[in-house]
Amino acid sequence: MIQQYTDGTNIYIPRREKRCGWGEKNQIKMRLCERNDSIYKAYLSGDKIKDLSERFCLSEKSIWRIVGQEKKKEI
C-alpha cells in the first residue's frame, strides 16, 4: 500500500517510543524545582536576597527571577 503512494522515494517513519523531556531522566528538573521552592520559602520567612544568592550560589537577579516565578505559581 505504501508503494502506491511513494513508489521509489525515501520515507521517514518515526519511532513510537516517547522521548523523555528535559531533566526527566536524571531528575535534575525535580531537584531544581525543590531548590526553587526552598529559595521561595526562605524568602517568605524573611531571608534577604543577598543572603540567598550567596547560600545557593546564584546571582541576585536569578533569585529575584525564581521568587517571581514561584509567586506566579501561587496565584
Side-chain angles (χ1 to χ4, degrees):
M1 295 214 43
I2 295 174
Q3 190 176 22
Q4 292 174 356
Y5 297 104
T6 63
D7 191 29
T9 62
N10 294 328
I11 61 170
Y12 171 73
I13 302 172
R15 294 182 179 185
R16 287 186 183 174
E17 63 189 57
K18 181 183 176 254
R19 295 184 68 189
C20 293
W22 179 87
E24 290 177 356
K25 195 171 191 177
N26 59 5
Q27 304 298 318
I28 191 71
K29 189 174 188 176
M30 182 184 67
R31 284 188 255 152
L32 286 176
C33 287
E34 290 172 354
R35 179 203 66 185
N36 293 351
D37 189 51
S38 297
I39 290 171
Y40 187 58
K41 285 179 181 176
Y43 172 78
L44 290 177
S45 70
D47 290 5
K48 297 185 190 258
I49 296 293
K50 185 173 183 167
D51 297 335
L52 293 172
S53 70
E54 291 173 4
R55 185 183 333 160
F56 290 96
C57 300
L58 295 169
S59 68
E60 290 182 26
K61 186 175 181 178
S62 293
I63 298 294
W64 279 115
R65 179 183 46 81
I66 291 168
V67 168
Q69 288 173 348
E70 295 295 317
K71 275 184 184 178
K72 286 180 183 177
K73 287 182 185 178
E74 286 186 347
I75 295 174

